[in-house]
Amino acid sequence: MRALLYPLDGMGDPVEVVKDMTLVGRNEDCDLRLDHKSVSKMHCVLVKTDGLLLCRDLGSTNGTRVNGQRVRRAALLPNDVLAIARFKFRVQLGPGEPSVAAAEHTQQLEASEVARLLKKESPPAPADPVHPPLQTNPLPDVYPDDSDEVK
């Protein structure tokens, strides 16, 4: 399923929800970063599952709204208006796979290439003089039965 968020203010390009779980907020670690003081650091999460786009507010200060109604969680439908603090988006859902940036593709390697890369591993680091090498534990791994206890 392909999910797009079109900004209603006309500013900026549509945002494609590529991941199955997209964290929205002001924090730099968020997948969709809205850098404004009205947006909480971790504002809400968008989840794509079974052909649905779900939204869950993460206890944000200024709230998440769907079609003007403040929600804690909601299933988003095509043409719904999603408001994250003061940012408003029109939701578009459709068939097809999301377009993924080249950097997000999994690189395929042949077995021979993997073997070659493993052979190029750096040699083991010299022993750390600060930490002595590990020694075997002199204590037994199995303890005697409780039946041998003194009564």
Side-chain angles (χ1 to χ4, degrees):
M1 174 188 74
R2 192 166 188 192
L4 292 165
L5 302 177
Y6 287 90
L8 286 183
D9 61 6
M11 304 300 279
D13 295 326
V15 177
E16 187 166 10
V17 180
V18 177
K19 296 173 125 186
D20 287 338
M21 185 162 39
T22 303
L23 183 60
V24 181
R26 196 177 72 233
N27 194 321
E28 290 181 9
D29 295 331
C30 290
D31 301 308
L32 173 55
R33 187 165 182 248
L34 301 174
D35 193 17
H36 190 269
K37 62 184 178 184
S38 66
V39 178
S40 294
K41 289 178 184 175
M42 291 195 300
H43 198 94
C44 65
V45 65
L46 300 174
V47 178
K48 289 193 320 184
T49 181
D50 299 327
L52 295 172
L53 183 63
L54 306 173
C55 176
R56 177 150 188 139
D57 187 82
L58 297 174
S60 64
T61 302
N62 291 316
T64 303
R65 297 177 184 273
V66 176
N67 299 325
Q69 179 70 41
R70 189 167 180 163
V71 295
R72 289 186 184 161
R73 60 180 173 249
L76 300 173
L77 300 173
N79 294 319
D80 277 351
V81 174
L82 173 65
I84 300 167
R86 69 174 195 91
F87 293 90
K88 292 183 180 178
F89 300 92
R90 179 158 316 278
V91 177
Q92 290 296 318
L93 304 174
E97 294 299 316
S99 61
V100 179
E104 293 185 12
H105 285 291
T106 300
Q107 184 178 0
Q108 294 183 355
L109 297 175
E110 297 293 327
S112 59
E113 180 70 8
V114 173
R116 187 182 65 76
L117 290 171
L118 290 174
K119 286 179 185 175
K120 283 187 173 182
E121 282 185 3
S122 59
D128 188 357
V130 177
H131 298 94
L134 296 176
Q135 298 176 354
T136 58
N137 186 355
L139 297 174
D141 288 335
V142 179
Y143 293 94
D145 292 337
D146 292 338
S147 60
D148 295 338
E149 289 181 6
V150 178
K151 295 182 182 179

